[in-house]
Amino acid sequence: MLGLAPLRFVSPPPRGAAAVSSAAIGGHSISLGDGCHCAVPPPGEKDADKARAETTEGASYKWRMVIAYDGTKFKGWQYQPSPPTIQCSIENALTRITKLDRKELCLVGAGRTDTGVHAWGQVAHFTTPFSYHCLDSMHSAINGLLPHEIRVREISAAKPEFHARTSTKSKIYHYKIYNGPVMDPFHNHYAYHSAYKLNSQAMREAAKHFVGTHDFTSFANAVHNDRVRSPIKKIMRFDVIEMGAILQLEIEGTGFLYRQVRNMVALLLQVGREALPPDIVAKIIAARDRKELAKVALSAPPHGLYLMSVNYDKEMLQPPEGAPQISFGRTHQISKCKLLFY
């Protein structure tokens, strides 16, 4: 966890104030509307600069983002300059906006999704040596610089003790299976196609064996880094939901090993094809040997997998005192219609 000085957020100017002093924002002024709604021109890097607030020397501020992305074209979350990754794209945008390098930003994601895996609720945090009195401008600027496959859905101030990865209480993943004889082309990159008619009831019976606290060594692929993780994980629920031709597997757990979710899905697919009985799950868990799973199932492909949400204790999500309001994005309005109607 990062060692940060206490956050001392600067409160916005009183209502009715015409502008922030030019010294507070590096020689520029910005008009303010009511409360935290900044009256600014269309988003850009300069607008994000103007939204900075006066800061105390030596202070450090932490920010939490909720991110959605289509992982099809990306080499996963984890940073690497080429080919592109989600983290690299977000850091590039933040670097342009904040004028800080990636080591100063310290961007950390809650989960390191693999190549081709999607997300609706990835969470990440970063730090800056300055605060913002309004987050809407920065939020718009970030999304304006990101490729269209990545969007920051929310941005908010975070407590110094908040950590996107280590503060996690649970994560929810979905895996989508298109269970029909002919694949829907609109699901081609977002669901695994099973032309076999799957027995969903047998899959539900098998999924029950995953629920609880177990040693999931049999479902973890080898990791080529220095991190040593405990194979003991708790699965709170594993639901199999039918939605027309889509079979959606929903898994919530305290944490997951490398490729664990895709390996669990692969075994359930074999059960659904009636190639294996539902109780095979308990036997492979008990074996605690990855080779036992490899004998009966290959890992499910990544494009059907989604990181849907990352959950934290409510107290951990409480904003620091004096923090700016959370930004969910700015809504645009047309004051006068410029289109001619006949």
Side-chain angles (χ1 to χ4, degrees):
M1 188 174 294
L2 300 172
L4 298 174
L7 296 185
R8 294 188 290 275
F9 284 95
V10 176
S11 300
R15 296 186 180 187
V20 182
S21 69
S22 60
I25 51 177
H28 298 282
S29 62
I30 181 171
S31 298
L32 296 178
D34 191 16
C36 190
H37 297 286
C38 303
V40 295
E45 295 172 52
K46 292 184 179 180
D47 301 316
D49 287 341
K50 291 178 181 180
R52 291 186 188 180
E54 190 174 1
T55 58
T56 305
E57 186 177 354
S60 186
Y61 300 84
K62 185 175 281 190
W63 310 96
R64 178 176 57 250
M65 298 185 292
V66 179
I67 308 159
Y69 49 84
D70 175 348
T72 304
K73 299 179 181 179
F74 296 90
K75 197 72 175 177
W77 165 269
Q78 191 67 13
Y79 177 86
Q80 61 184 55
S82 181
T85 65
I86 305 297
Q87 182 178 0
C88 182
S89 298
I90 295 173
E91 285 184 355
N92 288 342
L94 288 173
T95 296
R96 288 185 60 179
I97 292 166
T98 65
K99 310 301 187 289
L100 302 173
D101 62 36
R102 64 181 305 265
K103 291 184 179 180
E104 293 175 292
L105 290 167
C106 298
L107 179 68
V108 177
R112 298 178 179 180
T113 53
D114 289 338
T115 300
V117 175
H118 314 295
W120 173 248
Q122 171 74 283
V123 175
H125 75 256
F126 67 96
T127 59
T128 61
F130 46 78
S131 182
Y132 289 89
H133 55 68
C134 179
L135 294 174
D136 284 345
S137 294
M138 182 176 67
H139 191 174
S140 296
I142 293 172
N143 282 336
L145 292 170
L146 286 171
H148 67 271
E149 296 92 347
I150 307 172
R151 283 294 175 266
V152 174
R153 293 173 48 217
E154 301 174 19
I155 184 166
S156 60
K159 292 181 176 181
E161 58 267 29
F162 173 82
H163 192 283
R165 187 175 68 249
T166 61
S167 300
T168 301
K169 183 178 180 181
S170 70
K171 296 177 184 176
I172 298 176
Y173 281 92
H174 288 182
Y175 195 94
K176 295 182 184 293
I177 303 164
Y178 190 86
N179 193 198
V182 179
M183 181 60 176
D184 182 340
F186 293 103
H187 286 92
N188 195 44
H189 297 295
Y190 309 105
Y192 168 69
H193 180 214
S194 174
Y196 293 91
K197 182 60 180 176
L198 299 174
N199 184 337
S200 59
Q201 186 55 42
M203 294 173 73
R204 290 188 187 93
E205 290 297 317
K208 292 177 182 178
H209 295 286
F210 285 121
V211 178
T213 303
H214 305 287
D215 183 329
F216 284 99
T217 298
S218 296
F219 294 88
N221 284 22
V223 181
H224 302 290
N225 59 34
D226 297 328
R227 293 178 64 194
V228 178
R229 303 184 64 183
S230 169
I232 309 298
K233 303 295 176 184
K234 182 180 181 180
I235 303 297
M236 280 87 93
R237 66 183 181 92
F238 199 136
D239 299 327
V240 179
I241 301 171
E242 294 180 84
M243 301 182 296
I246 295 290
L247 197 62
Q248 183 164 286
L249 311 185
E250 301 184 359
I251 309 102
E252 181 175 5
T254 54
F256 298 91
L257 302 169
Y258 182 52
R259 299 276 177 89
Q260 180 184 337
V261 176
R262 287 164 58 189
N263 288 329
M264 292 191 296
V265 169
L267 187 57
L268 287 194
L269 283 168
Q270 290 291 72
V271 173
R273 293 169 184 148
E274 299 182 343
L276 297 170
D279 62 2
I280 189 67
V281 173
K283 294 177 182 178
I284 291 182
I285 290 175
R288 292 185 292 178
D289 186 348
R290 179 66 180 83
K291 294 178 182 178
E292 291 301 307
L293 177 63
K295 293 176 182 178
V296 296
L298 300 175
S299 185
H303 64 278
L305 184 60
Y306 300 74
L307 174 56
M308 293 303 295
S309 67
V310 183
N311 303 316
Y312 303 88
D313 287 326
K314 289 184 179 180
E315 292 183 3
M316 188 61 67
L317 296 179
Q318 291 297 315
E321 185 177 355
Q325 290 183 346
I326 184 172
S327 174
F328 295 100
R330 181 181 290 145
T331 301
H332 299 275
Q333 294 181 338
I334 299 175
S335 58
K336 184 177 181 180
C337 184
K338 297 179 180 180
L339 297 177
L340 297 177
F341 291 91
Y342 298 95

